Amino acid sequence: MTNIEKKEKLQSLLAKNTGREEFYYTCLEEIDDLKTNYNDYMTTGPIDVETELERLSSADYDLCAAFLTMLLREDYFSNGAFERRYRNGQVTAIVERMIELL
């Protein structure tokens, strides 16, 4: 998939204006950017989501994909966490950074 196609998929994801995690999982899978090894990208252990997200402004594309995967996995362990982070603007900020980097 080209960067232009990835950018279009991510933009359509934002246009849905929803925090439903299944849309984000599907999108990351379709663009082949679901980072199952997301913990390899993190600097804290155990992972401290808030500390990790402070790195967003300087993150490269792969780190942003790892951040998004991290938030999706966080929701698995803490049901509803992804929706809360979406409402707080954290999910959108990651996707916007990914689009910017493409």
Side-chain angles (χ1 to χ4, degrees), residues 6 10 24-25 27-29 31-39 41-42 53 56 59-73 82 91 93-99 101-102:
K6 286 183 178 189
L10 291 167
Y24 291 83
Y25 264 119
C27 180
L28 286 178
E29 287 173 338
I31 64 176
D32 199 30
D33 284 328
L34 186 66
K35 303 292 185 190
T36 56
N37 65 332
Y38 67 95
N39 56 330
Y41 293 83
M42 304 304 141
L53 290 178
L56 180 59
D60 65 10
Y61 182 85
D62 286 328
L63 182 55
C64 289
F67 284 160
L68 196 51
T69 304
M70 170 185 70
L71 295 184
L72 289 165
R73 295 300 298 152
F82 191 82
V91 174
I94 294 168
V95 176
E96 286 173 345
R97 175 83 176 145
M98 292 171 78
I99 291 168
L101 291 166
L102 288 171

Side-chain angles (χ1 to χ4, degrees), residues 69-99:
T69 304
M70 170 185 70
L71 295 184
L72 289 165
R73 295 300 298 152
E74 177 190 39
D75 189 76
Y76 176 81
F77 295 107
S78 178
N79 197 17
F82 191 82
E83 177 66 33
R84 284 190 301 278
R85 292 194 182 279
Y86 177 82
R87 284 193 311 265
N88 290 339
Q90 292 169 307
V91 174
T92 301
I94 294 168
V95 176
E96 286 173 345
R97 175 83 176 145
M98 292 171 78
I99 291 168

